[in-house]
Amino acid sequence: MNAEIIAVGSELLLGQIVNTNAKFIAEHLAEIGVDVYYQTVVGDNPGRLEEAIKTAEARADLLIFTGGLGPTKDDLTKETIAFHIGKKLVTDEVAMRSIKQFFARTKRNMTENNKKQALVIEGSKVLPNDHGMAPGMFAKQGNHYYMLLPGPPHEMEPMFINYGSPAIQEELETIERIESRVLRFFGIGESQLETEVQHIIDSQSNPTVAPLASEGEVTLRITAKHESAEIANKMIDEKEKEILQIVGQYFYGYNETTLMEALLKKLSEKQLTLACAESLTAGMFESEMAAIQGVSTMLKGGIVVYSNEAKMKLANVKKETLDQYGAVSKECAIELAENVRRLLSADIGISFTGVAGPDSLEGHPPGTVWIGITVKGKETGAHLLELAGSRNNVRRRTVKYGCYYLLQMLGK
Amino acid sequence: MNAEIIAVGSELLLGQIVNTNAKFIAEHLAEIGVDVYYQTVVGDNPGRLEEAIKTAEARADLLIFTGGLGPTKDDLTKETIAFHIGKKLVTDEVAMRSIKQFFARTKRNMTENNKKQALVIEGSKVLPNDHGMAPGMFAKQGNHYYMLLPGPPHEMEPMFINYGSPAIQEELETIERIESRVLRFFGIGESQLETEVQHIIDSQSNPTVAPLASEGEVTLRITAKHESAEIANKMIDEKEKEILQIVGQYFYGYNETTLMEALLKKLSEKQLTLACAESLTAGMFESEMAAIQGVSTMLKGGIVVYSNEAKMKLANVKKETLDQYGAVSKECAIELAENVRRLLSADIGISFTGVAGPDSLEGHPPGTVWIGITVKGKETGAHLLELAGSRNNVRRRTVKYGCYYLLQMLGK
C-alpha cells in the first residue's frame, strides 16, 4: 500500500504556516511500512481540491487529508470528498453529543455552523477527536482509501496515532515493520563520506543506506524491512558495523543526538568541568552548552575576549604573544585555553580564536580558526581550521568542531 | 502568473525533515503578487519527479524546485528537468571556479562527484550560491518557467531573496506594483497592539495592514498596490505615520531589522562601547551581537558567569551580595554590570542573571530575570522580567529585552 498526504489550507499556500502535519504523518506511515511517494498542499478551493484528489487517485492507494474539517464556510474537505466518491454526509450522533458537551462545558452558546462539524461521510469509520470537535473519517471506495484528519496538529497527531494508524494497519495484509537508525558523522564531507561507503550505498536493497548533509554534519540513515522488528534491527546492526569499520572515526552519535549533547554526556560520565575563552564565537559555544538543562555541574563559565584588550585583561594573554604571533595563532589559542581553565579552576579549558570574516585579519583569510584545548596536568594542544562559508556559518561550524575535538580527546 | 513549489527529497517523504522551504518561498511569492495553487513533495526518483513536473505544467506557469542539486548520486533534479525540457547540461565556469576555490581554501580534496555541482541547464540564468557550492537556475521553455534552488535552507533562502525573486519580478508583466513594509515592535503584546490599531486594521483596503507575532516581537505589515511604486510607497508612508502616532513608543525598526541590529546602529552612532556579564544567557547576548559584521568597535567583550564561583572570580561579585540577596537579585545584577564595565573600561555594562528553568532557583520561579545596566558616570539601574515559557524561550527573550532596554536608554 502506498499513500499520498494532501494538506488542505490556503494559509499553507500563502506561507503563513509550515506543513508539519505532512512530516508527522509521513514519519509514522514509514514505521508501519506504508510508502509515501507524493505530498500535496492545496487551498480551500473545492475545484482545485477535487483536481488534487483525481491526481492522487492515479498514483496512490491511500489518500490522507488534513485540514478543512472545521465549522467555517471555507472548510470544504469532507463535502468535496463525499461528492467526489458519491456518498452523502450524515450526522454522527457521538460527535454531535461531544460537540454539545464541549459548548456546555465552556459555557459558550453553540452556533448553527458548529453542527456542520458532526457531519461524516456515510459508511465511513469515524475517528474520535479527543482534543477538539471535528471528528476524523476513514472511508473505502473502489480501490482507494480516504482518511480525513483535522488541521490543528494538537488534534490531528493524537487522532492519527490512536485511531488513524491502527485503522490503516487493520487494512494491511502483512504488516512489514520498517525500522530505521540514523548514524551521525562530523569532520568528513558528504561527498567524501559517500565515496568511502559507496559500495555499501550501492547495494541498495534491504537494509537501504541514505546519506543526508547539514552544516558540516553528515548522517547515514539505515532502513530495514522485516515482519519482525527484532530481525530488522539485527540487519541494521550488521550494516552499521560494516559502515563504522570504514568511517568510524567520524561517527559521534545516533538519531537526533547533537554534538553538544554527546559532549555533555561524556563530560558528566567523566565528571569533568569546562571553562571557555571565546573570541570569534563570542559566547556561542557556552550559550549552546547552557541551552541543555543540567549543564551547571559541567560549565564553570568563561570569558568573551572579542577584542585583544579583553584577551589581555580577562585572560592575561601576554602582550608579546599578541605582538609576535597575533591573536589568530596557536600560541594565543593555548594561552587563552590554559589561562581561563586556571582562572576558574576547571578540568578542561577550550578557546576559539580566528577570523569569522568577511574581512581578513592579521593577513589570515576568513575561516582561519585556532581551537586551543588544555587539560589539567595533561595534554595541551591546538587545532587549525580553514573553513569556507559566511561569517556565521564559520562561527557555527567552529562551535561544532570544538565539541568534536573535545569528544575525540575524551574518547581516548 | 501562478507558481507551483516542488520540493524534491526522500527525506521529506520519510518525514525526517519539515518542508520549511515551501513556506519560505510561498511567503515571498505572495509579497510579489504571484499566486501559489499547489505545493508538491516528491522523492529522489527521476520517474516520479517527471510525473510531478507534467502535473505541475498542466496547472502552473512557474515551477519552483528545491533540493536535489547536490553532489551525490541521488541528487537528480536538474538532470531530470533538463531531460524533460530537452536541454543539455553544461559546465558553468563561474560555479566550477568557486567549487575549486572552496576545496582549495578548505584543503579538502575534491572528489569527482563535486564537479557535477557546476553543471547547469544550457541557456538558463545561473543563480549564484553565496553560502554553498551548488548554483541555482532559472530557465524558460515554451509557456513555462523553471527555477531550481538548493535544498539546504541556509543556501536556498538568501539565493531566492537576492537572485530568484528578482529574476521572477523581471518576467512579471503585471503593471500593478505590490510594495510592502514591515514595522517591528517590542514590549507590547500582539493582542494589545491589535486592540490599539484595530480601527486601522479594519479599514482593510489599500493599503492593508496585517499583524504577525513571534517570540515577544510583533510586526505590522503594510502592503499597498499601485501602478507606480513611488505612489504605493507614499500610501505606505501615510499609513505608517497613522500607526506610529498610536504605538510609536514600541516601534524599533523596519522589515528584517532585528533588535540587535537597531542597538548596534545606535551604539555606533553614539560611539559607545559595551561589556557584558551573562549568567542564564551564558554568552547568547554577545554571540548574537558578534553575529553582525563590524561589531568589534562596539563589543569589548565580557564574561560568562554561569556559576556563583564564576560570578565572584570573574566579576568580583561580593560574597555578601550572593549570601544576602542571592544571584537572582537587583544587587547582583548591578554589581555584575558595573564590575564588567570597569574591568574592560567600557562605556556601558549590561548583565543578565536569572532562572532559565525548568527548576526554580533561590525560591524564584523559572522566568525570573534581572537585567542590570550601568553607564560610565551616569545612571545605574536594573529591570525585572517575569517571563513564561521554556528554558530557551526565556533565554532568547531575555536577550531581546536586553537590547530593548539599552535602546530605550540610548534613545533619550
Side-chain angles (χ1 to χ4, degrees), chain A residues 250-264:
Chain A
Y250 304 106
F251 170 78
Y252 76 83
Y254 294 104
N255 302 322
E256 299 307 307
T257 316
T258 65
L259 275 160
M260 189 60 86
E261 286 166 350
L263 170 60
L264 291 187

Side-chain angles (χ1 to χ4, degrees), chain A residues 15, chain B residues 19-29 156-158 160-161:
Chain B
N19 187 5
T20 56
N21 286 350
K23 179 208 186 290
F24 183 89
I25 294 167
E27 194 175 9
H28 289 85
L29 286 176
M156 186 283 290
E157 293 178 1
F160 185 73
I161 292 295

Side-chain angles (χ1 to χ4, degrees), chain A residues 300 376 387:
Chain A
K300 288 261 188 164
K376 189 180 181 183
L387 305 171

Side-chain angles (χ1 to χ4, degrees), chain B residues 90-97 118-120 126 135:
Chain B
V90 295
T91 298
D92 180 65
E93 288 313 327
V94 180
M96 182 58 90
R97 216 173 304 125
L119 292 174
V120 298
V126 177

Side-chain angles (χ1 to χ4, degrees), chain B residues 390-401:
Chain B
S390 70
R391 175 181 179 83
N392 289 308
N393 183 277
V394 164
R395 295 174 69 233
R396 286 192 297 270
R397 275 153 65 215
T398 296
V399 167
K400 288 184 175 180
Y401 271 102

Side-chain angles (χ1 to χ4, degrees), chain B residues 177 179 207 224-226 228-237:
Chain B
R177 298 288 308 155
E179 295 289 320
K225 296 184 185 187
H226 196 281
S228 142
E230 193 193 345
I231 295 176
N233 278 306
K234 280 216 180 70
M235 294 159 71
I236 293 175
D237 292 338

Side-chain angles (χ1 to χ4, degrees), chain A residues 309-310 313-314, chain B residues 275-276 300-302 339-346:
Chain A
E309 180 187 356
K313 283 183 175 172
L314 296 179
Chain B
C276 317
K300 287 259 187 170
N339 293 358
V340 77
R341 190 193 66 73
R342 291 228 182 101
L343 210 53
L344 289 165
S345 48

